[in-house]
Amino acid sequence: MKAVGERLKDKRVLVTGGSRGIGRAIVEALAQEGSKVAFTYASRPESAEEVLNSLPGQGHMCLQMDISQPESVEQVFAQVLESFGGLDGLVNNAGVTKDQLLLRMKDEDFDWVVNTNLKGTFLCSKAAIKPMMKARSGSIVNITSVIAHSGNPGQVNYAASKAGIEGMTRSMALELASRSLRLNCVAPGFIATDMTDSLTEEQKNKIAERIPLSRLGTGQDVAQAVVYLLSEESSYLTGQVLHVNGGLYM
């Protein structure tokens, strides 16, 4: 077993949505474990550059991408493959929300969330498996959510997209196992990010009361699960969902 700091040494990994929140924590953890990391962002290039410049190691890159658009995905993967010469891992992290109760949810809001989260994961996975199949090696980790299992009022579109990703992951795992490709999911629960900073301490405490481990998760909690699934330590795992939720959903 490789020492901490070397578990992903020389692995080439692309992370979508890596400039903030859970995505940033994943990017940082991968670089700390020796990966050469490319990550994408949708907007705010200054934030992406700040993350890029903070990473240990050399050869990292960040690129703007719209994961719902095939042309954008194709261009980014072409750039990464040209620079890296191949791809050992993909983390499909980028996603959006547009919450509303079912009777008030607009068709376009349902379509936007599903096209971004579900179709975006499909497009990126399809682009990644081509070089991975050629190398007969690779690991894809899809970030889903506890909401895919528990459901949540006002998130019909989000729950559908994340549950769809998990079903798609299992199907792809079955298709690609013969080529030694592994596909798994990490399903976070309530994670403290910049999005939860707007909550009051009272609101955070009420959330924590629902969690058996009595705290919100951190981006690092999720990132370490991703590191495990990208590493050789998980070489016999495929088609699985690793829940990182402090026991919230069992």
Side-chain angles (χ1 to χ4, degrees):
M1 183 179 295
K2 291 184 178 180
V4 174
E6 297 184 344
R7 288 184 290 172
L8 299 176
K9 185 173 175 58
D10 299 326
K11 295 287 188 182
R12 301 156 297 180
V13 184
L14 171 61
V15 181
T16 66
S19 63
R20 64 189 181 94
I22 292 173
R24 176 172 184 165
I26 292 170
V27 168
E28 291 173 342
L30 298 186
Q32 289 163 5
E33 289 292 345
S35 288
K36 184 184 291 187
V37 185
F39 67 93
T40 71
Y41 63 95
S43 58
R44 299 175 61 188
E46 65 282 354
S47 296
E49 287 291 336
E50 188 268 322
V51 174
L52 180 65
N53 293 332
S54 72
L55 298 177
Q58 298 179 334
H60 310 301
M61 58 193 302
C62 64
L63 306 100
Q64 190 169 23
M65 183 174 76
D66 181 345
I67 63 171
S68 68
Q69 298 300 317
E71 299 82 4
S72 181
V73 172
E74 184 177 331
Q75 290 173 4
V76 165
F77 273 82
Q79 287 179 262
V80 172
L81 290 170
E82 181 179 1
S83 177
F84 284 5
L87 200 60
D88 302 298
L90 167 67
V91 183
N92 283 307
N93 168 73
V96 297
T97 59
K98 190 71 172 180
D99 299 348
Q100 185 56 271
L101 295 175
L102 177 60
L103 289 176
R104 297 177 183 174
M105 185 174 290
K106 297 178 181 178
D107 290 358
E108 53 266 34
D109 292 340
F110 183 91
D111 292 343
W112 180 59
V113 171
V114 171
N115 283 337
T116 302
N117 298 355
L118 182 57
K119 186 177 180 181
T121 297
F122 162 76
L123 291 173
C124 292
S125 299
K126 189 174 181 181
I129 65 172
K130 293 178 181 178
M132 289 180 178
M133 288 177 69
K134 186 175 181 180
R136 300 187 74 85
S137 176
S139 175
I140 295 176
V141 180
N142 296 323
I143 307 300
T144 61
S145 172
V146 65
I147 302 304
H149 300 263
S150 65
N152 200 38
Q155 290 194 308
V156 166
N157 48 4
Y158 183 75
S161 69
K162 293 299 188 177
I165 290 171
E166 293 189 358
M168 185 167 65
T169 299
R170 286 186 284 269
S171 293
M172 292 191 295
L174 287 169
E175 284 189 24
L176 299 167
S178 64
R179 300 296 183 94
S180 299
L181 271 63
R182 299 185 299 108
L183 294 97
N184 293 287
C185 297
V186 172
F190 286 108
I191 306 298
T193 65
D194 53 353
M195 295 179 69
T196 61
D197 288 343
S198 60
L199 299 177
T200 65
E201 284 303 312
E202 182 180 1
Q203 289 172 321
K204 292 178 183 178
N205 289 336
K206 285 185 177 179
I207 293 172
E209 288 174 0
R210 298 170 52 192
I211 302 171
L213 289 183
S214 302
R215 70 171 177 87
L216 275 68
T218 67
Q220 289 72 28
D221 291 326
V222 180
Q224 290 306 311
V226 173
V227 168
Y228 170 66
L229 290 174
L230 289 174
S231 75
E232 296 306 314
E233 296 170 15
S234 61
S235 61
Y236 202 50
L237 269 68
T238 193
Q240 303 302 307
V241 178
L242 184 54
H243 293 271
V244 182
N245 59 40
L248 177 65
Y249 182 89
M250 298 188 187

